[in-house]
Amino acid sequence: MPSPTSRKELTHDRILDVAARAIRRGGYDGVGLATIMKEAGLTHGGFYAHFASRDALLAEATQRAGRDTGAVLVERLRQAQTLGVSPFSALVNAYLADAQLENAECGCVVAALASEIPRQAEEVANAARARVLGMVELVRRALPAGNEPAQAQVVAATLVGALQLARTLQGKAGKAWLANVRASLIQQYGA
């Protein structure tokens, strides 16, 4: 049987998992504590045993969402390298995959929430800014040799913006948008 500490950690982790999906699905303002706790299989009253405030939860959930997405992208890069695909092409293809159109809940927290970040409490905004910088660093590491490091910002902005706009268009138009941006980025930076 798990110790009380590890049980509390597991519960905390479960709340974070639910909240990380919820913020990407409904935005920061669309996250209700009672709903998150219910989805996690807990009562609303237990929330403050895990978090000092709603903002503390949102900050941690933002960090969790970013780490989860980053881990998926790093794994895709690793798999692509074993198949002889360049890390940059793998990153672009994974980030701008057609499946991302309907999967905001499990996708990049930056693309899901970028426009909301400036209106958040400093604690939440700082966590989100760290995710933006983490994404730029992932792109920088994936860029082929010979590209200027500052190009990572351009590529990261293009990836986020392309995904946001494709989600706005949806369906065939959204998929065509993603395909065009994938091809353009790989042609421009992937050599």
Side-chain angles (χ1 to χ4, degrees), residues 54-70:
R54 181 177 184 274
D55 287 338
L57 168 67
L58 295 178
E60 266 193 76
T62 299
Q63 293 167 349
R64 163 62 80 75
R67 280 193 310 269
D68 290 351
T69 301

Side-chain angles (χ1 to χ4, degrees), residues 91-104:
L91 174 65
V92 169
N93 285 317
Y95 193 90
L96 297 179
D98 289 348
Q100 294 297 330
L101 287 177
E102 288 103 26
N103 199 17

Side-chain angles (χ1 to χ4, degrees), residues 73-91 138 141-144:
L73 290 173
V74 166
E75 177 57 22
R76 296 253 171 88
L77 295 176
R78 189 196 63 72
Q79 290 172 353
Q81 284 182 306
T82 64
L83 299 172
V85 177
S86 79
F88 184 76
S89 293
L91 174 65
L138 180 63
R141 289 192 325 255
L143 276 168

Side-chain angles (χ1 to χ4, degrees), residues 3 10 22 26 42 56 78 83-84 96-97 112 115 117 119 136 155-156 169 179:
S3 70
L10 290 171
L42 303 163
R78 189 196 63 72
L83 299 172
L96 297 179
S115 66
I117 294 167
R119 294 185 296 276
V136 172
V155 172
L169 296 172

Side-chain angles (χ1 to χ4, degrees), residues 52-53 102 118-119 124 151 169 173 179 182:
S53 66
E102 288 103 26
R119 294 185 296 276
V124 179
Q151 291 302 107
L169 296 172
R182 281 192 307 262

Side-chain angles (χ1 to χ4, degrees), residues 137-167:
E137 178 58 21
L138 180 63
V139 170
R140 188 196 62 73
R141 289 192 325 255
L143 276 168
N147 283 291
E148 293 294 321
Q151 291 302 107
Q153 294 172 345
V154 173
V155 172
T158 302
L159 291 170
V160 169
L163 184 54
Q164 289 175 322
L165 294 174
R167 284 179 177 160

